[in-house]
Amino acid sequence: MYIDNHVHCEPDEFRGEPKAFVEGCRERGVERMLVVEPLASCLKLSKMFGDFMPSIAVIRMDTASPQDIADCIDAGCLGIKFIASQHPYADERYWRLYAKLAELGKPAVFHTGYLAPLYDWSGESPEHPVWTEHMRPMQVEVVARRFPELEIVMAHYGNPWFEEGWKVSWSKENVYADLCGGTAIHRSIRFWADLFAPDGELFEDAIVKLCFGSDAHLRAADQFPVEEYIRFYGRIYDAIGLSPALRELVNRGNTARIFGL
Ligand SMILES: [Zn+2]
């Protein structure tokens, strides 16, 4: 079974019956999907999809307050997503946000690496471009050191700083990472196999910090973009000869524990 730790959905644009979509996912072995959207959308989606779709609230981190974080958690969100900061993630002006989340005992999801231009939630304009460098895994590493009690998931494995994503996720106890979205899927299986099993020898410290995720945009009840990621992860597992127990950990176990499912 799988828990997809990262999907998107515009509640007003989804076509078809949510119930049919949930059934289709369960037939494909997907027991839950964590949706990453602003709070208002999260609330609508949880009405539509029920327990199948717990949520992670995206906040605008340059204007949000610790109370905004508490409000999202009070409303039932399982964690907070940080993205598109005007300053590096490690900047002290964000520490009050991380401290609040740590105090509430809820995990942080950080977008790491490349972000498409003029991204909806970023507040980006031509005069104030997003700095992808602010979102490098090594920025998250500082947060992980400063807040060792905060559990962190680095979305997208730091693309294109995959080496940094690898280093930070296996060396920091409180940091996990996933291969969702972006272009991780366009790197060769041999590339990933070499990170998780260098020269063919399993590097367990790295693989145990991986989570399954797709970053799929859900648009219709009869479309299942998650399948592409089930195949992608499966090809990596096969290439490194991963045991059933560790497949289970990556596919659902890590996410279930981190988000308290
Ligand atoms: Zn995403």
Side-chain angles (χ1 to χ4, degrees):
M1 298 293 280
Y2 299 85
I3 299 175
D4 190 336
N5 78 345
H6 191 134
V7 300
H8 298 282
C9 185
E10 267 296 325
D12 300 333
E13 287 170 19
F14 185 81
R15 287 178 283 110
E17 252 315 303
K19 204 168 157 235
F21 178 74
V22 172
E23 280 166 16
C25 285
R26 295 211 163 119
E27 278 164 23
R28 288 161 176 81
V30 180
E31 61 183 83
R32 279 197 172 97
M33 288 178 162
L34 272 62
V35 73
V36 180
E37 292 288 346
L39 180 60
S41 295
C42 287
L43 297 176
K44 281 188 188 175
L45 290 161
S46 77
K47 283 211 178 87
M48 288 166 67
F49 293 93
D51 286 353
F52 178 76
M53 202 173 281
S55 49
I56 299 166
V58 185
I59 58 159
R60 286 195 186 229
M61 58 191 297
D62 284 289
T63 51
S65 68
Q67 187 57 46
D68 293 330
I69 287 183
D71 290 346
C72 292
I73 301 301
D74 282 349
C77 297
L78 301 184
I80 298 292
K81 163 94 175 280
F82 297 104
I83 186 168
S85 52
Q86 285 172 19
H87 309 281
Y89 280 154
D91 193 292
E92 284 190 36
R93 72 193 88 194
Y94 301 126
W95 287 10
R96 62 193 194 123
L97 302 179
Y98 309 146
K100 186 65 183 179
L101 200 51
E103 178 197 320
L104 295 170
K106 297 293 179 185
V109 176
F110 282 89
H111 171 99
T112 54
Y114 184 76
L115 184 63
L118 298 173
Y119 182 72
D120 286 359
W121 304 324
S122 64
E124 183 178 22
S125 66
E127 296 76 31
H128 298 284
V130 159
W131 284 42
T132 294
E133 289 230 338
H134 292 165
M135 301 178 278
R136 284 180 80 139
M138 282 305 174
Q139 293 292 335
V140 176
E141 199 252 351
V142 179
V143 180
R145 283 179 192 264
R146 174 61 184 77
F147 298 95
E149 69 283 27
L150 178 66
E151 293 218 89
I152 294 172
V153 179
M154 295 191 300
H156 325 302
Y157 222 85
N159 178 19
W161 295 289
F162 294 129
E163 185 82 18
E164 280 188 26
W166 176 84
K167 178 69 193 178
V168 174
S169 62
W170 74 255
S171 62
K172 284 283 162 302
E173 201 181 339
N174 52 331
V175 179
Y176 293 74
D178 60 57
L179 304 178
C180 82
T183 45
I185 201 167
H186 299 308
R187 296 306 305 258
S188 70
I189 295 301
R190 200 175 50 193
F191 172 84
W192 293 111
D194 199 54
L195 281 185
F196 296 119
D199 292 331
E201 194 173 324
L202 188 69
F203 184 44
E204 202 167 315
D205 289 356
I207 197 73
V208 298
K209 304 304 282 296
L210 187 64
C211 299
F212 176 77
S214 69
D215 204 9
H217 289 248
L218 310 180
R219 295 194 167 89
D222 58 353
Q223 292 173 12
F224 303 94
V226 65
E227 288 186 300
E228 191 184 5
Y229 277 80
I230 291 175
R231 285 193 296 273
F232 172 47
Y233 274 71
R235 290 175 65 211
I236 298 170
Y237 301 158
D238 291 344
I240 61 177
L242 197 64
S243 69
L246 290 182
R247 289 179 193 225
E248 151 86 11
L249 185 71
V250 177
N251 288 340
R252 64 175 302 288
N254 281 336
T255 298
R257 189 195 60 73
I258 294 166
F259 292 91
L261 293 169

